[in-house]
Amino acid sequence: MTNAFLEISNGEKIPREKIPHLSFDDFKDNALTIVKGGGKVVQYFAYPDDASVKLMAVLRTDKLWIAGCDAPDSYPSFTTECEPFHLFEREIAEQYGIRPEGHPWLKMVRYHPNVRNRPDVFWNDYDEDIPGNYDYYQVDGDEIHEVAVGPVHAGVIEPGHFRFNCIGERVLHLEIQLGYQHRGIETLFHNVEAKRLPILAENIAGDTTIGHSLCMAQAVEALTSIQVDPGAKIIRTIALELERLANHIGDLGALSGDVAFLPPANYFGRIRGDFLNLSLLICGNRFGKGLVRPGGVRFSLADDIRKTLDERLKELKPQVEHVLELLFTASTVRARFEECGAVSTYDAEQLGLVGPAGRASGIAYDARRCFPTEHYSKLDIPENKISSGDVWARAKVRYDEVLQSIEIIQSLIKEPVGTQCVGNQMPELPPDSFAVSINEAWRGEVAHSILTDKAGNICRYKVKDPSFHNWNGLAMALRDTGISDFPLNNKSFNLSYCGFDL
Amino acid sequence: MLNTLKNRFEQGYRTCNYPKEKPAVFGRYRGKPVIKENVSGDVVQLCSNACPQNAIVVEEKKINMGRCVFCGTCEEVSNGEFVTFTGDFEISTSEKEHLLTDGNLPALAEHSKQHFKKLFGRSLQLRQVSAAGCNACEADLNVLATPFFDLARFGINFVASPRHADGIVVTGPISRNMKTATLQTYEAVPDPKVVIAVGSCTITGGPFLGSSEITEGLDSILPVDLFIPGCPPHPLTNLHALLTFFK
C-alpha cells in the first residue's frame, strides 16, 4: 500500500489545504501501517473546524508524516491493534468526547469536561471532585494487596496518584493516575492575548522551560518565515544543553540518595545548582525563563558572560567527572542499579518510549540527531544507546549525556557569539496554516503543533511533553520489581507531572 | 574508600554564609523592581501594554509582584526609564497588598507576626504542597536542602507528613483537581499553623490567569501568612523570607 500521508519537515509551514484529508478508513489504515511498521506517534489530536471536528496525526519514521480526517463520534479503537495510540486516544476522548470503541483501558487522562459539551465518554460528573467515577486496574487473589499513594507525596514533589497491586513486596502492576496538575494550558493557548504565549510555553514544565519555549518559538518562526540568526541558534543550543545538564546531574544525585550513597547525592545536589546558575548567568533566571522568544533570544552571550561561562565550566567539569566516577564505580551502587526495573526493547518499542528512558532500552532515537533544529545539524550527537533497560542503563545514558553536553557547550563558546536580541513581541500568524516543531529536551521528544484558522487565529495549539510517552514505561519497569525499589525507578525516569497534565 | 575521601577533600566546604553575608548573584538576575521617580504616564502605559502578565498598575505607577514573572519586558521596552530590576532578592511580604510596589517594601521582620517567632523561631517543620505549577518553585525549594543553602542548620525542615508540620508551603495555582487535597493537607496540620504562598501562580494564578481550572490566589481559600513572589522565587528569596519571618 502506498502511504497517503504527506512527508513534512520539522519546523515547516504547511498550508492547510496541502495536508491530506483522508476518509476515516484510509486515515486509520495508513496510520496503523506506519506505526505497526515501527513508526511512532508524535502527535494525534482533534481540532475544531467551523462546526465540525477533525482529527490530525503527525507520525514519524525516519521522516515526519501528516494527514487528517473528519472525526467520527465513535470509532473502533486503534489501540487494540497498535499500542502507541493508547494515551492519544484517551486524550482525544477526554478533550473532544470521541469514543474509541473497544479501547482496552478507556479511562480519563486528566479529569476535565470535554470542550464540546458532549456527553462524557467516561461517565464522569465534573461537578464531583477528583477522583471521579472510574476504576483502578485490579488484581485478584488471596494474598494480593493494594498500596495507594498520593496525590500529595512525602517530599517536595508534584502530585499524582499511584496504585500498586502487590503480592508481598513484589509489584504485579502499577497504575499511575495523573491529572492533579491540570491547568487548562491548551485552552489558554487558544484564548489568551498573543503577548502571553511565550510565558505560557515557559510554564508548561519549569524544568523543561527551554525545551517547550524552543518548540513554541520554532513553530511560530516556521509559520511566519522569520529567520533566526546563527548566534541566537547557538545560544538556544547552549541553553537546551544547560537544561539537560542541570536535570541529569540532579537526577543522578537523587538516584545516589535513593540507594543511600550520600556523598554524590550532596555533591550533585550542589553542582546541579551551579548549572542552574549558569542559565541565570545568561538570562537572569535559573530555569531559562525569559530567554527564548520567536525570532531569537532576548539576551546576548556578551563576551564577559561567555568568559564567565567558560571559566565556570572549566571549574565544574573535573568535579562532575570525579563525582560520576565515585558514583559509578561503587559496587554497592551497581548492585542496586543493575537489573532493577528493566524495560525490554520490545516493550519500550510498543510503548513508544522516548528520550534517555528509550535510549536505555535500546531505542536510539534522539531528535537532536534525527530531526535537528537550531545548531544541532552542525554537531555530532552520538547514539547513546544501551539495551539493558534497567536503572543502571537509565543512569548510564545520563552519565554519557552529561559529559557530552559539557563538551558541546565548551565547543560552542570558543568563539565570540553575536546575535541581535529580540523582544517579547509576537508576530501575527498567517491564516490556514500548520506547523509542528520537535526538540530533544532532557526527557526526550517535545512537540508543539500550531494550527491557524481563516483569520490567522490559533484554532488548535497542541503540546506534547515526553512524559506523555514515558509514564507507562515507569509502570512497566515496576512489574515484578520490589515495591521498595519504586523510588529508585521513579527517579531513574523522573517524569513530569505538569508536562503531562498541561 | 580512598576515592570517597579524595572526593570529599575536593568538594571542600560549600555552605554559604547567608544571612551574615549575601552571596553574589550573577548580574542579569532580576530581583526587586524599583520604579523610577518622575516617570511619565506615557512610558508606564507603554510598559503596561507590553507586560505579558498585565502586572503594571498604570495609575499608581507600581508593579504587582504577585502577578509579575520578572521577565524584564517593561525594563527592556522603557530602556530602564520606568523600572530597574535590581539584584535585591529580599522581596517577600506578609501582606498581599504590599506586593503592589514601587520598590519600597516594608521590612518583613517588623511585619511578621511576633508570636510566630516565639513559636517557630527555634524549630519550623513545613509540609510542602505542590498544587499545579510548573515544578520550578518546587525545584528551588528543594535546593534549600543542598549543602550550599543547608536550610536544616536553621532548624527548618521539610517533613513528610502534615501531622509533623507547623505549616504548609503551597506552590502552584491550586488546580480544581488539587484543591481538595490542598485543603485536606492544611486541615491535617495541627494548630497553630502557618501558610506560605510561593510563586506568582500561587499568589494570583500567575501565567495561568484566566483559566477556569485554577484558583486565582491561595488567599481566596486559605489564610496566607507569607507571600514569596517570583517565577520561581530565587532560593535566596525563599531563604530570606523563612529566616526573616520566623527567626
Side-chain angles (χ1 to χ4, degrees):
Chain A
M1 192 173 78
T2 54
N3 183 1
F5 274 55
L6 173 74
E7 186 189 332
I8 59 169
S9 302
N10 186 11
E12 179 190 0
K13 176 186 171 184
I14 320 278
R16 275 175 72 169
E17 78 248 15
K18 289 233 175 109
I19 299 173
H21 190 76
L22 311 177
S23 72
F24 179 78
D25 287 342
D26 281 349
F27 175 80
K28 180 183 178 182
D29 290 346
N30 279 278
L32 287 179
T33 304
I34 293 172
V35 180
K36 279 182 185 173
K40 293 286 176 291
V41 187
V42 175
Q43 286 194 327
Y44 177 35
F45 58 88
Y47 65 94
D49 190 30
D50 293 329
S52 65
V53 171
K54 291 178 175 161
L55 295 173
M56 192 174 304
V58 178
L59 309 176
R60 71 171 153 84
T61 54
D62 54 345
K63 302 185 176 75
L64 291 174
W65 305 93
I66 190 168
C69 67
D70 287 329
D73 284 344
S74 72
Y75 64 95
S77 165
F78 296 6
T79 308
T80 51
E81 294 179 54
C82 190
E83 287 84 350
F85 286 97
H86 170 117
L87 258 176
F88 290 97
E89 288 195 315
R90 281 169 57 184
E91 185 184 46
I92 291 170
E94 181 166 66
Q95 292 183 333
Y96 284 82
I98 300 165
R99 172 182 288 272
E101 298 289 352
H103 190 289
W105 194 239
L106 187 58
K107 184 176 174 178
M108 91 320 163
V109 181
R110 306 181 177 108
Y111 199 73
H112 63 80
N114 65 62
V115 296
R116 295 158 76 196
N117 293 320
R118 280 176 57 84
D120 190 59
V121 171
F122 318 100
W123 310 109
N124 277 317
D125 171 4
Y126 294 96
D127 291 331
E128 302 266 317
D129 204 7
I130 194 173
N133 176 31
Y134 49 80
D135 294 325
Y136 284 92
Y137 192 85
Q138 284 194 319
V139 180
D140 280 333
D142 279 350
E143 291 177 42
I144 302 294
H145 66 103
E146 273 192 8
V147 181
V149 183
V152 181
H153 300 298
V156 187
I157 25 174
E158 296 181 81
H161 185 78
F162 296 78
R163 193 70 70 95
F164 300 87
N165 284 283
C166 304
I167 183 158
E169 294 269 303
R170 191 155 65 94
V171 179
L172 297 175
H173 182 76
L174 160 64
E175 185 175 351
I176 300 165
Q177 182 57 62
L178 302 178
Y180 298 90
Q181 298 273 67
H182 180 60
R183 293 146 286 169
I185 285 184
E186 287 182 2
T187 307
L188 281 172
F189 267 122
H190 301 150
N191 297 328
V192 299
E193 290 175 273
K195 67 181 180 180
R196 284 181 61 186
L197 296 182
I199 305 284
L200 260 182
E202 287 175 343
N203 287 286
I204 293 167
D207 53 23
T208 315
T209 294
I210 301 294
H212 279 288
S213 55
L214 267 184
C215 276
M216 199 218 63
Q218 288 165 3
V220 170
E221 285 152 11
L223 289 172
T224 53
S225 305
I226 291 175
Q227 295 298 314
V228 177
D229 66 47
K233 288 182 179 176
I234 290 175
I235 295 169
R236 287 171 167 196
T237 305
I238 292 170
L240 192 60
E241 293 307 316
L242 280 175
E243 186 168 272
R244 194 179 322 279
L245 274 166
N247 284 297
H248 280 359
I249 286 173
D251 284 350
L252 288 170
L255 280 170
S256 189
D258 279 341
V259 297
F261 189 36
L262 296 183
N266 283 304
Y267 305 155
F268 273 152
R270 190 266 305 171
I271 293 172
R272 171 179 167 276
D274 286 333
F275 281 103
L276 291 176
N277 282 337
L278 294 182
S279 290
L280 186 146
L281 168 75
I282 296 174
C283 73
N285 182 292
R286 283 160 54 94
F287 296 84
K289 292 183 183 185
L291 177 64
V292 180
R293 290 293 180 271
V297 289
R298 283 181 58 222
F299 299 93
S300 72
L301 198 67
D303 265 355
D304 57 328
I305 302 278
R306 188 170 62 93
K307 218 176 124 208
T308 310
L309 182 57
D310 188 44
E311 284 165 5
R312 297 293 294 138
L313 283 175
K314 278 195 185 119
E315 193 184 320
L316 287 166
K317 193 179 175 191
Q319 293 178 16
V320 170
E321 287 167 345
H322 297 162
V323 183
L324 281 174
E325 196 206 333
L326 178 65
L327 177 63
F328 279 79
T329 55
S331 56
T332 48
V333 170
R334 287 194 76 116
R336 288 290 309 278
F337 282 14
E338 283 177 352
E339 292 172 35
C340 182
V343 180
S344 69
T345 306
Y346 175 81
D347 286 341
E349 284 280 359
Q350 297 296 300
L351 293 169
L353 299 193
V354 296
R359 290 192 280 282
S361 288
I363 301 173
Y365 175 65
D366 184 330
R368 293 177 296 173
R369 245 180 343 98
C370 304
F371 304 107
T373 60
E374 306 304 334
H375 198 71
Y376 287 107
S377 56
K378 301 191 177 76
L379 297 173
D380 192 18
I381 308 286
E383 275 205 348
N384 297 322
K385 187 175 78 171
I386 305 174
S387 57
S388 60
D390 49 7
V391 171
W392 184 83
R394 288 185 286 274
K396 183 63 170 55
V397 171
R398 314 281 196 102
Y399 175 115
D400 293 335
E401 293 186 6
V402 161
L403 296 178
Q404 289 157 15
S405 293
I406 295 177
E407 276 175 26
I408 289 171
I409 298 172
Q410 286 185 320
S411 75
L412 293 177
I413 56 174
K414 276 189 185 138
E415 306 292 327
V417 180
T419 183
Q420 185 67 43
C421 292
V422 298
N424 194 50
Q425 297 89 344
M426 273 292 292
E428 288 208 2
L429 300 179
D432 285 326
S433 305
F434 174 84
V436 60
S437 53
I438 296 173
N439 284 287
E440 185 77 13
W442 66 279
R443 282 195 189 92
E445 178 192 88
V446 181
H448 288 205
S449 290
I450 303 180
L451 188 71
T452 61
D453 63 14
K454 286 190 232 25
N457 295 320
I458 296 174
C459 66
R460 190 72 170 100
Y461 195 113
K462 189 75 200 80
V463 178
K464 188 205 65 189
D465 188 90
S467 302
F468 196 71
H469 294 288
N470 284 3
W471 274 109
N472 278 326
L474 172 60
M476 191 57 81
L478 256 285
R479 288 202 173 171
D480 227 12
T481 300
I483 192 168
S484 51
D485 275 337
F486 172 70
L488 186 59
N489 276 282
N490 187 30
K491 197 46 87 178
S492 73
F493 281 87
N494 192 12
L495 302 172
S496 176
Y497 301 68
C498 53
F500 178 96
D501 284 343
L502 300 178
Chain B
M1 189 65 203
L2 203 60
N3 202 5
T4 311
L5 289 172
K6 213 175 84 192
N7 250 282
R8 180 67 195 86
F9 283 113
E10 183 182 4
Q11 290 291 327
Y13 180 82
R14 299 281 181 175
T15 306
C16 73
N17 210 4
Y18 189 81
K20 283 189 189 131
E21 287 167 36
K22 285 190 189 179
V25 180
F26 286 125
R28 284 182 180 175
Y29 166 71
R30 292 177 294 279
K32 184 169 81 179
V34 177
I35 310 290
K36 295 284 159 64
E37 279 179 44
N38 309 322
V39 57
S40 83
D42 291 349
V43 172
V44 184
Q45 187 63 52
L46 176 85
C47 293
S48 173
N49 294 346
C51 174
Q53 286 298 105
N54 297 326
I56 297 168
V57 178
V58 178
E59 308 78 55
E60 298 194 41
K61 297 185 181 175
K62 285 180 177 174
I63 290 182
N64 181 356
M65 290 199 300
R67 272 195 179 204
C68 180
V69 292
F70 297 78
C71 68
T73 298
C74 51
E75 184 175 4
E76 188 181 292
V77 297
S78 69
N79 284 322
E81 274 183 46
F82 168 55
V83 65
T84 309
F85 283 89
T86 63
D88 185 358
F89 51 78
E90 300 180 343
I91 54 176
S92 303
T93 67
S94 60
E95 303 290 337
K96 197 176 184 182
E97 304 87 81
H98 295 161
L99 291 170
L100 181 65
T101 188
D102 55 10
N104 294 308
L105 288 174
L108 184 61
E110 287 158 27
H111 284 77
S112 70
K113 299 190 178 92
Q114 290 304 317
H115 68 282
F116 280 176
K117 294 197 182 223
K118 197 171 162 207
L119 283 168
F120 305 125
R122 292 161 67 87
S123 161
L124 177 66
Q125 311 299 315
L126 296 167
R127 170 67 254 213
Q128 205 271 321
V129 185
S130 165
C134 75
N135 199 28
C137 287
E138 288 83 342
D140 265 353
L141 283 168
N142 247 328
V143 297
L144 296 180
T146 61
F148 182 80
F149 302 100
D150 194 14
L151 188 64
R153 72 193 146 121
F154 302 107
I156 306 174
N157 293 291
F158 286 100
V159 294
S161 168
R163 300 286 191 211
H164 303 157
D166 302 311
I168 58 171
V169 179
V170 182
T171 51
I174 313 107
S175 61
R176 227 164 37 82
N177 291 347
M178 264 310 282
K179 195 168 170 181
T180 302
T182 306
L183 293 174
Q184 284 179 348
T185 309
Y186 172 76
E187 279 158 20
V189 176
D191 280 318
K193 53 190 164 189
V194 295
V195 177
I196 303 169
V198 175
S200 70
C201 294
T202 325
I203 298 170
T204 62
F208 311 109
L209 269 164
S211 170
S212 59
E213 294 285 338
I214 62 147
T215 311
E216 296 193 345
L218 176 66
D219 61 322
S220 68
I221 55 169
L222 285 177
V224 179
D225 299 295
L226 179 57
F227 297 86
I228 308 183
C231 186
H234 194 281
L236 288 166
T237 306
N238 291 321
L239 192 57
H240 163 259
L242 293 175
L243 295 185
T244 315
F245 197 69
F246 294 106
K247 301 294 289 182

